[in-house]
Amino acid sequence: MKYKHNLLIIMILTFLSGCVAVKYDPSKPLDAEQGLVLARITKTGYASTAQFLTKNKNKILDNYSFVMRLEENFFLFPMSAGTHLFDEAIYMQGSALVKPDLECIGEFEIKAGMINYIGDLYFDISPANNYIIFSTHGSSYKVEDNFEDTKKIAELRYQNIGDKFQFTKSVVGPSTCQKDD
């Protein structure tokens, strides 16, 4: 039994470390039905890594992953055009895999051939209660519109990107998440 438990933990950690979102490569053209997603996600709290998974409301099996290893993460990568939403977060807290539903954050639109700013997301992971076996692991989410600041970061990291693509905003929302206090 202990062997199966350890194997499960190893498989989960491999999944969390191996699912990396495709980064934008300026030397490669976008597919005709793709746009670039632009976001910053700040993670605080009690998990070393976390992953936001999305789903495309218009297509089946069209999921993307925002993998967070740092406290502040900058994302710019290709996504298929359409209406997307954050589906769930996945992170380890101690030996427990936690997967809160994120659909309450709302939707965002990706337009083909454009840089689509979806907002700055703040994700806080509450501490686990190590004394209660079946404890809940609270988390809270907040979305802010810091378009100009995030656009400047993109332009600094990818010179001439503003000449190549037009920026547009589709900030995730409307958020219906309830914060944990």
Side-chain angles (χ1 to χ4, degrees):
M1 180 70 173
K2 186 175 181 179
Y3 172 76
K4 287 183 180 180
H5 180 66
N6 290 340
L7 183 61
L8 177 64
I9 291 173
I10 290 169
M11 288 172 50
I12 291 167
L13 290 173
T14 301
F15 172 76
L16 287 174
S17 64
C19 293
V20 177
V22 177
K23 290 186 178 182
Y24 170 61
D25 182 351
S27 67
K28 295 181 182 176
L30 291 179
D31 291 343
E33 291 299 314
Q34 285 186 325
L36 292 170
V37 63
L38 174 62
R40 283 191 298 178
I41 302 178
T42 302
K43 174 184 64 66
T44 56
Y46 294 85
S48 60
T49 62
Q51 191 172 359
F52 277 13
L53 303 177
T54 69
K55 66 181 176 184
N56 186 332
K57 289 183 64 175
N58 309 92
K59 298 180 181 178
I60 298 173
L61 300 175
D62 189 31
N63 303 334
Y64 293 87
S65 176
F66 292 77
V67 178
M68 297 167 285
R69 290 189 176 88
L70 307 170
E71 288 179 3
E72 182 172 308
N73 300 267
F74 174 85
F75 295 98
L76 181 70
F77 61 87
M79 280 183 98
S80 60
T83 304
H84 298 262
L85 56 90
F86 285 105
D87 189 26
E88 64 184 359
I90 299 175
Y91 57 92
M92 294 294 296
Q93 207 166 44
S95 62
L97 177 66
V98 184
K99 295 172 64 173
D101 182 4
L102 296 181
E103 287 189 18
C104 63
I105 292 178
E107 300 176 349
F108 58 95
E109 189 73 25
I110 298 295
K111 295 179 183 172
M114 301 183 85
I115 299 172
N116 302 268
Y117 173 70
I118 65 168
D120 288 10
L121 287 77
Y122 297 88
F123 177 52
D124 182 60
I125 303 163
S126 301
N129 185 337
N130 294 327
Y131 301 103
I132 301 173
I133 294 173
F134 299 107
S135 65
T136 59
H137 306 273
S139 54
S140 62
Y141 318 95
K142 179 174 73 169
V143 179
E144 289 185 359
D145 182 351
N146 296 316
F147 175 67
E148 291 301 325
D149 291 339
T150 307
K151 179 181 173 184
K152 284 178 188 173
I153 293 171
E155 290 171 331
L156 286 172
R157 291 189 183 188
Y158 299 94
Q159 292 182 351
N160 303 322
I161 197 163
D163 297 336
K164 198 171 184 179
F165 300 102
Q166 182 180 351
F167 284 86
T168 186
K169 285 196 316 183
S170 177
V171 176
V172 179
S175 178
T176 59
C177 300
Q178 294 180 351
K179 286 189 172 184
D180 296 341
D181 290 331

